[in-house]
Amino acid sequence: MSDLKQSVKEQLIQDALEARKKAYVPYSKYPVGAALLTASGKTYSGANIENAAFPVTICAERVAIFKAVSEGDMDLQAIAVATKNGGTPCGSCRQVMAEFNPELILYIVDENGKITQETTLKEILPGYFGPDSLVR
């Protein structure tokens, strides 16, 4: 796994912790923040946003990714995800990440910014279904 410069990694983690503060979580009380770095050098943040109709809730990771993609910035490099206890991305988020970069670097951190896991998407989603999986 190629690693980012330490200062870039630390800033990405801080951005995820800041994004976590903006989470809208009246039901689960489990705020999540994400900060996504793209090849352009730009960072996109996201927080989870819950809804009384639970299926329309959206995770922080997908908020950040969709913000980047909606700006045409689709070369995803790394993402930091901050939760209370270092929880990892859900299956839906992993699938969205796989769409853009199965080699995406993930920094999973707890509420204090301590890295609990440093990995790649491919490592936490083996056998992923991606664009190359489609019969053409």
Side-chain angles (χ1 to χ4, degrees):
M1 169 176 48
S2 66
D3 208 356
L4 299 177
K5 273 183 25 181
Q6 186 65 27
S7 61
V8 174
K9 179 169 49 172
E10 289 171 3
Q11 185 60 56
L12 201 60
I13 290 168
Q14 285 307 308
D15 291 347
L17 291 167
E18 282 302 309
R20 185 173 179 263
K21 295 176 183 176
K22 298 175 184 164
Y24 176 74
V25 290
Y27 308 107
S28 73
K29 308 286 191 244
Y30 191 78
V32 179
L36 173 73
L37 177 68
T38 63
S40 71
K42 192 166 180 185
T43 300
Y44 298 87
S45 63
N48 54 328
I49 304 166
E50 295 181 345
N51 190 285
F54 292 154
V56 297
T57 293
I58 187 166
C59 300
E61 300 92 324
R62 283 182 283 149
V63 170
I65 293 167
F66 295 163
K67 284 168 74 174
V69 171
S70 70
E71 295 295 321
D73 205 354
M74 294 183 260
D75 191 355
L76 313 184
Q77 300 296 301
I79 191 167
V81 179
T83 67
K84 179 178 180 64
N85 58 349
T88 61
C90 73
S92 294
C93 289
R94 293 176 193 205
Q95 182 58 47
V96 169
M97 292 174 192
E99 180 73 15
F100 297 98
N101 183 2
E103 299 294 337
L104 184 69
I105 298 168
L106 286 89
Y107 303 109
I108 310 301
V109 303
D110 67 15
E111 65 187 342
N112 299 311
K114 178 180 181 268
I115 296 175
T116 60
Q117 188 173 7
E118 186 173 327
T119 187
T120 65
L121 177 64
K122 206 177 211 180
E123 291 173 358
I124 66 168
L125 188 63
Y128 68 92
F129 187 89
D132 293 338
S133 302
L134 296 172
V135 176
R136 296 179 198 219

